[in-house]
Amino acid sequence: MSMLTVATTQMPCTWNLEHNLDQAEQLVREAAAQGAQVILLQELFATPYFCIEQHHKHLALAEEYAHSRVLKRFAALAGELGVVLPLSWYERAGNAYFNSLSVADADGRLLGVYRKTHIPNAIGYQEKEYFSPGDTGFRVWDTAFGRLGIGICWDQWFPETARCLALQGAEVLLFPTAIGSEPGAADLDSRDHWQMTMRGHAAANLLPVVAANRIGREVATTDPALQMSFYGSSFICNHKGRLLAEADRETPGVLLQALDLPSMREERLTWGIYRDRRPDMYGALLSLDGRHLDPRWTTQGV
């Protein structure tokens, strides 16, 4: 296709779960009414960010893929409006739990599951309590409006995520997110670093990036002293990392941007960054400690 109109969104979430879904639907309808074809909602938009604390009661929020009320509602919405919706939700699969995403295509079909690869663990971001590391591998999605590469939140900090999606032919990179203040580091504001990392992925891979983050203050259910303020700042940047649209830190709403995909593809070909890759030289990426896996290059005694 030629021009693609993408939208990113942001909103606060509360323990009024039905209200969260209603808010998300309203944002989708607003974006679609303005002409958006691919509309990104934030990570785990159906609930508060329950990973702020550790408590097994939150496992009850998980839904099976085939029976997810969230997925069914928003897949039907995608079909009604003729838009593509990447949908982040909490998945239960047998006795395993995942931070997962499915894409609802413009005809209302769900296109399968991606399970978040990188699972963080920090004060306020206790995701290892709730999610197993994803086992699907990175996925791209052929949709009515192009080939989309999608990672989830912590995935976005890893250049390997963006490059794997790019190598699979993604035309746009999308990242649903939940990030804000750091209860373990009160003076840290990661907003600019967060944006710059993804803008770097755009520039390095010559692909546009769309990011959606939540807003608002959320409080742990077990300890009111444990609070987080999510800083929004959802954005869209072009294939060279230039900001095209950016939300503020606290206002719910929608941002739209038209992207000239054929022109961006031509620039990728012109730069030759995929032509000139040397996968045979990247063996260190397959280890945790950076040692090259080819024994011819292993330091003696290591």
Side-chain angles (χ1 to χ4, degrees):
M1 65 180 303
S2 54
M3 299 297 291
L4 169 67
T5 301
V6 297
T8 186
T9 65
Q10 59 185 39
M11 68 181 207
C13 293
T14 72
W15 284 107
N16 183 340
L17 303 185
E18 197 63 30
H19 180 63
N20 295 335
L21 299 181
D22 291 343
Q23 278 192 105
E25 179 174 334
Q26 181 58 39
L27 291 174
V28 169
R29 290 188 180 278
E30 180 181 338
Q34 296 179 49
Q37 297 161 300
V38 176
I39 303 166
L40 185 63
L41 294 164
Q42 64 210 37
E43 181 186 22
L44 299 172
F45 64 88
T47 69
Y49 184 69
F50 51 87
C51 310
I52 192 173
E53 62 188 345
Q54 294 189 21
H55 200 296
H56 289 162
K57 67 182 178 182
H58 296 315
L59 297 175
L61 297 168
E63 300 180 325
E64 294 181 344
Y65 174 71
H67 305 291
S68 168
R69 189 169 62 93
V70 172
L71 294 184
K72 288 180 178 179
R73 174 172 174 173
F74 283 84
L77 181 63
E80 175 194 339
L81 300 175
V83 299
V84 172
L85 297 179
L87 301 169
S88 169
W89 100 105
Y90 188 16
E91 181 190 8
R92 177 168 64 86
N95 287 322
Y97 295 81
F98 299 97
N99 188 335
S100 295
L101 179 137
S102 185
V103 173
D105 209 349
D107 59 2
R109 291 181 303 120
L110 289 170
L111 303 182
V113 177
Y114 166 67
R115 293 167 172 166
K116 185 173 179 178
T117 300
H118 304 95
I119 308 299
N121 190 74
I123 300 173
Y125 298 91
Q126 300 289 331
E127 294 199 16
K128 283 184 165 64
E129 175 75 4
Y130 301 104
F131 312 129
S132 293
D135 57 2
T136 59
F138 298 112
R139 293 199 58 183
V140 297
W141 313 81
D142 287 311
T143 75
F145 300 118
R147 192 166 172 85
L148 309 179
I150 308 174
I152 304 172
C153 200
W154 191 225
D155 288 337
Q156 70 204 355
W157 291 88
F158 295 83
E160 295 87 350
T161 300
R163 182 49 58 92
C164 286
L165 296 173
L167 290 175
Q168 294 179 67
E171 298 173 286
V172 184
L173 301 179
L174 300 101
F175 295 104
T177 301
I179 189 170
S181 59
E182 302 283 343
D187 295 331
L188 176 62
D189 182 350
S190 64
R191 197 281 303 270
D192 292 349
H193 184 193
W194 169 74
Q195 285 192 348
M196 192 60 69
T197 296
M198 283 179 283
R199 293 172 63 187
H201 297 334
N205 293 285
L206 288 171
L207 289 172
V209 167
V210 183
N213 189 25
R214 66 175 61 207
I215 57 174
R217 177 175 291 273
E218 298 186 20
V219 181
T221 62
T222 55
D223 180 4
L226 182 56
Q227 302 182 15
M228 291 179 62
S229 294
F230 295 92
Y231 51 60
S233 305
S234 302
F235 71 92
I236 302 167
C237 72
N238 74 0
H239 60 305
K240 295 181 178 178
R242 181 169 66 86
L243 279 174
L244 302 175
E246 179 186 12
D248 65 22
R249 290 174 177 256
E250 55 191 27
T251 306
V254 171
L255 296 173
L256 274 78
Q257 184 66 45
L259 303 173
D260 187 344
L261 296 185
S263 176
M264 293 177 180
R265 179 179 184 276
E266 183 61 29
E267 288 208 53
R268 285 195 294 277
L269 295 175
T270 299
W271 275 94
I273 60 170
Y274 297 99
R275 177 199 64 203
D276 296 342
R277 292 183 67 252
R278 291 291 309 278
D280 55 314
M281 301 301 292
Y282 305 153
L285 295 178
L286 300 179
S287 67
L288 288 174
D289 63 2
R291 289 186 298 174
H292 201 293
L293 297 185
D294 188 331
R296 294 174 300 173
W297 302 104
T298 301
T299 302
Q300 185 175 2
V302 176

